[in-house]
Amino acid sequence: YCCVRAIRTIFPNEKVYDNYGLFYHTEGREERKQRLNLQYFFDCTCTACKHDWPLYRDFARSPSKYHCPGCKALLGSSIEKIKKCSKCKKDLKGMGKLVNHLKKINIDYRKIMDEISEETAEKYIKTYSVLLSEIEKIFQPPCREITEVQQILLQSCAVLGNHSVLRLTPQESQIAVFNQDGMSSGDEEDSDDDDIPGLI
């Protein structure tokens, strides 16, 4: 079976898109479109292709622009001195904590990616899924903040892709001991297996 996880919020009545392995933030539009056309025979019209989004190395250099979580009005690239949205008058004081958290992710991004393992992936998926839903309210792609959190989620999902956890009760995890007492010693077919240790 196949498990599909989204790395962005999908709203009611919105189309669900799949990625064909080419990411807008690592490969330019013309290269993506050409390869998709050659391999899958379609002309990509995703938002990144339609609007020719820049590569990560280009948009990560400039500060992202904040938007009001209420009315989506543009607030600018710094919100430290903004207390309320000038358009809808929404209180923006709570955004400071989120902004500080995002700054820490930017500083620790490589460390976070290196720490993703089978043991940490589920925790990261829970934590960064919630964080992503919050930052989608104040940023619009393409931006460094959304891309970095999406990459953490992608890596976490990839680590779990071929991994499953089997949780057994103490009774279910009892080992059955192999006992040769009940076996016939004169059985010729079993004589070839004498050098194989007891198998469970």
Side-chain angles (χ1 to χ4, degrees):
Y1 60 91
C2 178
C3 176
V4 178
R5 283 182 148 155
I7 57 163
R8 74 172 185 83
T9 303
I10 300 170
F11 296 98
N13 301 319
E14 185 180 9
K15 287 183 181 178
V16 177
Y17 295 94
D18 190 12
N19 180 278
Y20 285 77
L22 302 167
F23 295 99
Y24 75 86
H25 52 83
T26 58
E27 295 169 273
R29 178 175 71 169
E30 293 312 311
E31 182 183 351
R32 290 192 317 268
K33 287 175 81 71
Q34 182 181 21
R35 286 176 56 191
L36 289 170
N37 198 298
L38 283 171
Q39 188 169 358
Y40 298 106
F41 310 105
F42 74 91
D43 183 38
C44 185
T45 57
C46 73
T47 306
C49 284
K50 274 197 271 190
H51 299 291
D52 196 12
W53 284 359
L55 299 175
Y56 176 83
R57 67 173 178 247
D58 298 324
F59 65 73
R61 290 184 190 140
S62 55
S64 300
K65 292 183 170 49
Y66 295 91
H67 291 79
C68 172
C71 68
K72 303 297 179 201
L74 183 64
L75 300 172
S77 55
S78 175
I79 60 159
E80 270 114 34
K81 296 180 180 175
I82 302 174
K83 303 287 186 229
K84 288 187 177 191
C85 172
S86 60
K87 189 174 181 184
C88 72
K89 308 301 182 207
K90 182 171 178 66
D91 185 3
L92 304 174
K93 290 177 190 170
M95 285 177 60
K97 188 176 178 183
L98 178 60
V99 170
N100 289 335
H101 188 65
L102 292 171
K103 286 178 184 173
K104 186 172 178 354
I105 289 173
N106 184 35
I107 293 166
D108 296 339
Y109 178 68
R110 178 52 34 211
K111 182 178 175 230
I112 293 167
M113 291 294 278
D114 290 342
E115 288 175 351
I116 297 171
S117 67
E118 292 175 353
E119 292 76 32
T120 62
E122 281 294 344
K123 180 183 118 191
Y124 278 28
I125 289 169
K126 287 177 187 168
T127 301
Y128 288 98
S129 293
V130 170
L131 180 61
L132 182 62
S133 68
E134 291 301 311
I135 63 176
E136 285 175 327
K137 295 173 186 173
I138 60 170
F139 291 110
Q140 292 182 355
C143 71
R144 179 183 47 77
E145 292 80 2
I146 289 176
T147 303
E148 288 179 357
V149 172
Q150 286 178 331
Q151 290 305 301
I152 292 168
L153 287 169
L154 277 172
Q155 184 66 23
S156 298
C157 289
V159 164
L160 294 177
N162 292 318
H163 171 77
S164 63
V165 176
L166 184 61
R167 289 182 172 79
L168 300 173
T169 65
Q171 293 78 18
E172 293 171 324
S173 63
Q174 295 299 313
I175 297 174
V177 179
F178 181 74
N179 185 348
Q180 290 186 335
D181 291 344
M183 294 184 65
S184 168
S185 58
D187 201 340
E188 290 298 320
E189 289 180 42
D190 294 338
S191 62
D192 294 336
D193 296 333
D194 289 344
D195 56 333
I196 299 175
L199 301 175
I200 298 174

